[in-house]
Amino acid sequence: MLDKQLFALSGIRQTLTVLAGLTLGQAFVILGQGYFLAQAIVLSWQRQPLSHLTGAIIGFALCFLARQGFNWLKSRVADRFASRNSQDLQQQLLQHTFLLGPSLVAQQGTGNLVTMALDGMPEVQNYLQLILNKILNLSIVPWVLLIYVFFENLTAGITLLLMFPVIILFMVILGLAAQKKSDEQYAGFQAMSNHFIDSLRGLKTLQLLGMSRKYADNVYQVSEDYRKQTMSVLTIAMLSGFALDFFTTLSIAVVAVFLGLDLMNGVMPLFPAMVTLILAPEYFTPLREFGSDYHATLDGKNALTAVNEILAQPVPEQQTEPLTPWQADSQLELHKVAVDYDNKRHLEFDDLTVRGYQKIALIGPSGAGKSTLLNVLGGFLDPAAGSLNVDGVALTSLRHEDWQSQLSYIPQSPYIFAASVADNIRFYQPQATAAEVDAAVATAGLTSWLETLPDGLQTRIGEGGRGISGGQAQRIALARTLLDTQRRIWLFDEPTAHLDIETEAALKETMLPLFANRLVIFATHRLHWLNQMDWVVVIDDGKIVMQGKPADLAQDEQYQQLITKLRGDFDV
Amino acid sequence: MFKHDQWVRPDLKRYRGLLVWSLILGVLTFVCAGALMFTSGFLIDKSATKPLFAAIYVVVVLTRGFGIGRPVFQYVERLTSHNWVLRVTSHMRKKLYTVLETDAPFVQEHHQTGDILNLLADDIGHLQNLYLRTVFPTVVAGLVSIVATLLLGWFDWKFALWILLLLIAQVVLLPWWSFLMKRRQQRQQKQLSNAAYVGMTDAVLGLSDWVIGQREQAFLTTATQSAQALAASKQKSRRFGFSRDFWLQVVFLLLPLSLLVWTNLYWTGSQTLANWVGAFVLVVFPLNQAFNGVSQGVSELPGYEDSIQHLNSLSPVVRQLPVQLPAPTTIDQLRLENVHFQYDANSELLLNGINLTLESGAKIALLGPSGMGKTTLLQLILGDLTPTSGQVALNGTDVLAYQEHRAQIFAVLDQKPFLFQTSIANNVRLGNEDATDDEILAALDAVQLGSLIARLPQGINTPMAEAGFGFSGGEQQRLALARIMLQQAPIVLLDEPTVGLDPQTEQALIETIFEVLADRTVLWITHHLQGVQHVDGVIFLEDGQLAMDGTPAALYAENGRYRHLYALDAGQE
């Protein structure tokens, strides 16, 4: 019944002990509340004056208040535990994300990870808060009450005791069928809501196809079909709640009738009967509450499982052997390297040597492994096998502070942070002076664009800010890198793939002079970049199929064929 | 928040019968629950006087009846209310769709930030909860309070007034207080929640930069600072909820206490009267559940406020269009006559006197730097935008007169064709509803997807969600192309359909496009020159005007700039 993951949370034992103590206390005041209430009613029934009832009424009121007080306390304790743990989990999740790096993000999907870290945590918190008290209430409260009822009236005690497993049995029988249906419906709900969002997103397409007006009826029809389906599912799914209600109210009715018969036969006086009648609903309350909020707890449990799965992924080892800064005569050797992810081999090659301020082009079809190689070179992905060597220092991966602090990695769409242009440029060097930023802006060719903006460098871009074009994003990423003069190793992953030819030509003019005195590794489909490279690596199907100087490779027939394919039908 | 509301109130009038039923059933559920305790209490008190069984027979039957009635009514009530809400939801979905449909060409641009389309769809889900969690329980609790007061008033109207006062405190005052508190927190939480989203997105999407920048601490702060402030604020709200629940119970306590005193004072004149004491005291406890739901439900109201505002802020877009004509059977000529365009009087002139003629069957490529109005020109041709001056004419008639039947004239293939979460066949059939399976297969063959789809287990009936995984960018474009083939529109506008594809895929796609569209008029917006020899004319859009213009061969021979770009694209420079 208790989720094993809960025991791994910090402070769980302590919290459970405190909550169990409070619940036990609460069980006794619930008992007291019923006891004094019954007493007051019986005294009235005996037509005693109000003054004789004072003690019972005060006892009832105090017990009632104490019970609510316990509730308050228990909620607070559970809430504190749940909040602390869900915040810890969030912190751990992000720390782990940082350590595992972009490959985790790629594996999980960015949207998924953001949702997990933001929406998942309140779900976990809700789950933790509900589940502990639910379980404790169910395992303590009914039994304290039942023992008392047994002392007062054996028949009622037996009735209540017998009803418990009967209810659970019916709940299980109906519940299993219903739960399955209910889960299906939940899935159906997702499908339905996807269909609806789909129709909104696809509105433009529908309109272009001349279907958009007619489709409104389709939207209604699909929604109505879903309603009919849902109703047929709910008819069964709600039966489990019905069964629970039916048997508890029926037991109360049965108990009342039994008690009435015992009273008429003079077997028992009024007080025990009254107290039993009052306690009967209380006896079933924890069971009723246990079944509620099923989906809320399920969501929370799933979110907790998902986070734990990520936390269970081993953190790759950071390399620590000191490295000297990359220089004109530096050398990186990769030998017999193999790279796996998602349990699949994505890249495998014998030798690749990178020297000094080489300009290296990576070419090959999409999905061949160019980005994988860049991820290894960026230290985001650890090779499964092979040896790496930077200026004589042997490493198992490039996940190394000394290495990464010299890097710049510019993908197809560089990420623009929700901040001013200046802060985006200062990303690696938050302390950079205004003059340094201006210089980087000028070199990256941003000056004329910034002049058109009323707020210039202070313009807010990124989420919620001003939209910028792909070419501008590339230039901002360039300026970002330029500001940190240490970063002499530039990795590019198809930086111009989304740009039109003229924007690309202009960007290229800016970039080429900056390549001097830097190691540049450049994955691209655009052949004109090869003219400025002094080494070309051809990757296909996860292997390096060719590498060499462009002029040498040009003699190779296979290479010529590849270039012809990449060139398409330009008849030159 | 309900002033000028167009989304909640009209729906309350729909299916009034169902609505009334579900409320009556809700009241009956609590009446039965109370009556069960009432009859049980009376049964026991009466039995204690050891009457004949016949005297309590009716009460025994009633006890059982109410015992069964409560769960049955509750079950039926839940089904009825869900049924009502879902029916209303279908209407709301259609309504939302219809409103957005009037702005179909721009719906993505106008509702993109923060994924508003998703939000709007969610808003309807929120309104469902508004009914089920707030409106129904509140109305039911109110009705139960009235019923209880009336019944009591029959015995003692002064006492009934006092009880009414206590009930009002629980059904109106405490929920109102709860609502006000929650509303204040909600405003703060909304801002924090936005900030948390931006922070988390910046952290996760910019992860590679944080890693190579080695800014772990700043990364953690960016990701969690607002999220934790939000969590703290939500904790405060929850704590408020805990104490509110406590005080609610304190007020509730006054009910049984009052009843204890009242029954002792007024129902103990004789034993017959005293037999009713238990009944009158116990009846009140099941009502606790009804009142509890109200404060909880009402405190959720501020959360729905945004949803209601979002939906109410939408209004249909109305365009002034000339009298609509049927689509011409053949199109000889598409002409842009001195077209000027600016978005509004203050923005710069985006297009400044465009003159262009496309004869039937012509294939023209349109190039130009991004942001120079290529897509705007396309929207003007389609008639989604109205020129500031000049006109777009089909066979001499303004294109704006054909908007009703536009799909018979124009087809569009853009950067990211939208494929619906349905079967492959249904996606293609969107081009022509009457298309047979054979025609769909033929179209898929023509775009060279035949063999790929033949390999799928359910063929053309495979759902996109399952097949989508296997569909690359190029293949998705081919699917959309098959759709266009069925659409049979004489003019096809291509809006950078090959962006983001690798050169081999791009080349193959371009070849297929021009093969299947051989007999159509094609205007092709492209971002570079790959495949340019498939067209008979190339035009450059720059600074709002058409710059170069000529056949690819002529431009290559005569125009230095074209030659430069061509060489660059071909990898020669």
Side-chain angles (χ1 to χ4, degrees), chain A residues 220-297:
Chain A
Y220 181 72
Q221 211 41 57
V222 169
S223 183
E224 277 293 278
D225 289 348
Y226 166 74
R227 176 182 66 82
K228 286 173 196 148
Q229 213 181 319
T230 308
M231 287 314 298
S232 77
V233 172
L234 283 183
T235 313
I236 296 170
M238 283 178 173
L239 270 183
S240 97
F242 169 75
L244 182 64
D245 268 346
F246 182 75
F247 285 106
T248 51
T249 33
L250 201 64
S251 339
I252 297 168
V254 168
V255 166
V257 173
F258 273 138
L259 294 171
L261 291 176
D262 276 1
L263 284 167
M264 274 202 313
N265 300 332
V267 184
M268 71 190 292
L270 178 58
F271 176 76
M274 189 55 78
V275 96
T276 306
L277 179 67
I278 290 170
L279 291 179
E282 304 284 7
Y283 169 79
F284 289 113
T285 304
L287 187 60
R288 274 181 191 219
E289 283 173 353
F290 194 78
S292 58
D293 299 322
Y294 170 76
H295 281 304
T297 44

Side-chain angles (χ1 to χ4, degrees), chain A residues 119-134:
Chain A
D119 302 338
M121 291 308 135
E123 284 169 4
V124 170
Q125 125 85 33
N126 195 20
Y127 166 61
L128 295 181
Q129 178 163 350
L130 291 174
I131 195 75
L132 296 184
N133 276 326
K134 272 187 179 183

Side-chain angles (χ1 to χ4, degrees), chain A residues 93 123 211 312 347 350 370 389 407 430 452 461 479 531:
Chain A
L93 174 64
E123 284 169 4
M211 300 285 287
L347 183 66
D350 282 342
K370 301 188 298 289
N389 188 307
L407 279 188
T452 66
I461 49 176
N531 303 325

